[in-house]
Amino acid sequence: MSPVHEHGYEPWEGERRPRWERVMAVALEGLSRGAASKWVWLVWAATAVHVAIRGGIVYFSGQVNPGVVEENASLGFTSTMLGDVLGLQAQWVLLILLVVVGTGTVARDKNAGALTFYFSKPISRTGYAVGKIASPFVFAMTVTFVPLFLVWVLGMAFTPEVLIPEGVYGLLWRLLAASVVVSLAASVVAVALSAVVRSANVAAASWVALALLSAAGGSMLARVSGNVRLEAVDVLGSFTLAGLDVLGASVPGDPTGWAWIVTVGWCVVGVGALAWVLWGEEVTG
């Protein structure tokens, strides 16, 4: 007759991986899913075309007709031109990219009932949220900072020394900071929308509607009222203007102060929405 032993849990005596690796595992899942999407590659291809066109313009203005820079700063190797690059990438390319890599991140887990499974493992809700935001943020940087950096490199290569702007290396750091502002704010909002709904398709439609309707609404309100500050209603436009302010490419009269308020406000709302969902009763209970 064999003895009966009481069953119980024993402490884990093996090596526990550091917390950052658990967060990295969540982020890598999103990165691998995004990298496998043909739509992401199409967005990257469109970005490459944009960079090539800008490089051609920089070459023409610097090597063929240097005088054109004096007439139109947006054609030469200037912060104004780099601001135009950021504006186009942020308000259109980034909008499309986050539909693919941002608006389904949490929604897919909610739809599959995977949140309880995640939080039964040794990862905190904060770590999960950081990992989910990290992957769209990295992708966002590939269509904000990477093209800006490449255009900067082309500008350094094609622009005569006398036309290179002062503080050009400091400008590179401002490019990075501006890209972080735009990419992080947009990623937080896209992931937050993904968290408050169960359907990735609904989250994607909500993200596009928010961007396009706020842009149209801000433009209409500013035009009807004559108050340019109302343009800050435009969500992606405000994120972009905050980035342009960091870059030093905003122009007098731009509502940069209001753009910063809108940018910070949306980030706070996004983080709050994520916290409300991840600490919700259906997850913690």
Side-chain angles (χ1 to χ4, degrees):
M1 185 174 183
S2 61
V4 177
H5 298 282
E6 181 179 353
H7 294 281
Y9 291 102
E10 296 182 1
W12 169 251
E13 297 179 355
E15 181 181 357
R16 184 182 291 271
R17 294 182 179 274
R19 289 189 176 182
W20 69 267
E21 287 194 14
R22 306 170 210 167
V23 176
M24 184 65 70
V26 176
L28 287 176
E29 186 275 334
L31 289 172
S32 61
R33 180 187 290 270
S37 171
K38 65 180 181 181
W39 295 107
V40 170
W41 287 93
L42 288 173
V43 168
W44 284 342
T47 297
V49 171
H50 183 200
V51 170
I53 292 172
R54 293 287 182 172
I57 293 173
V58 169
Y59 178 81
F60 173 81
S61 60
Q63 300 291 328
V64 179
N65 189 2
V68 75
V69 180
E70 299 178 0
E71 300 175 4
N72 192 337
S74 64
L75 295 179
F77 182 37
T78 63
S79 60
T80 300
M81 183 273 289
L82 291 168
D84 287 347
V85 175
L86 177 62
L88 180 59
Q89 290 293 124
Q91 292 196 265
W92 295 107
V93 179
L94 182 59
L95 167 65
I96 298 170
L97 179 68
L98 288 179
V99 170
V100 183
V101 301
T103 56
T105 51
V106 181
R108 285 190 295 266
D109 289 344
K110 289 182 66 178
N111 190 50
L115 291 181
T116 302
F117 170 77
Y118 267 113
F119 301 143
S120 68
K121 302 296 181 182
I123 185 171
S124 66
R125 288 160 177 77
T126 301
Y128 172 86
V130 170
K132 286 297 182 180
I133 293 172
S135 57
F137 170 73
V138 170
F139 280 113
M141 290 293 284
T142 66
V143 298
T144 53
F145 177 68
V146 171
L148 284 172
F149 174 72
L150 293 176
V151 173
W152 182 90
V153 170
L154 293 173
M156 291 292 290
F158 295 149
T159 303
E161 187 174 352
V162 294
L163 293 178
I164 292 179
E166 295 182 3
V168 67
Y169 293 102
L171 178 61
L172 182 59
W173 290 107
R174 294 203 303 272
L175 292 178
L176 176 60
S179 300
V180 168
V181 168
V182 175
S183 300
L184 184 59
S187 297
V188 168
V189 174
V191 173
L193 286 172
S194 176
V196 297
V197 298
R198 286 190 176 274
S199 168
N201 291 334
V202 173
S206 300
W207 165 249
V208 173
L210 175 65
L212 297 184
L213 292 178
S214 67
S219 177
M220 182 181 67
L221 289 172
R223 187 171 302 175
V224 170
S225 66
N227 187 349
V228 70
R229 290 179 296 180
L230 293 178
E231 290 181 355
V233 171
D234 180 0
V235 175
L236 277 177
S238 291
F239 297 170
T240 302
L241 186 53
L244 293 179
D245 188 38
V246 174
L247 185 57
S250 59
V251 299
D254 281 343
T256 53
W258 285 97
W260 277 108
I261 292 173
V262 171
T263 300
V264 173
W266 273 106
C267 287
V268 171
V269 170
V271 170
L274 277 170
W276 175 70
V277 170
L278 298 183
W279 274 266
E281 183 178 350
E282 70 278 6
V283 174
T284 58

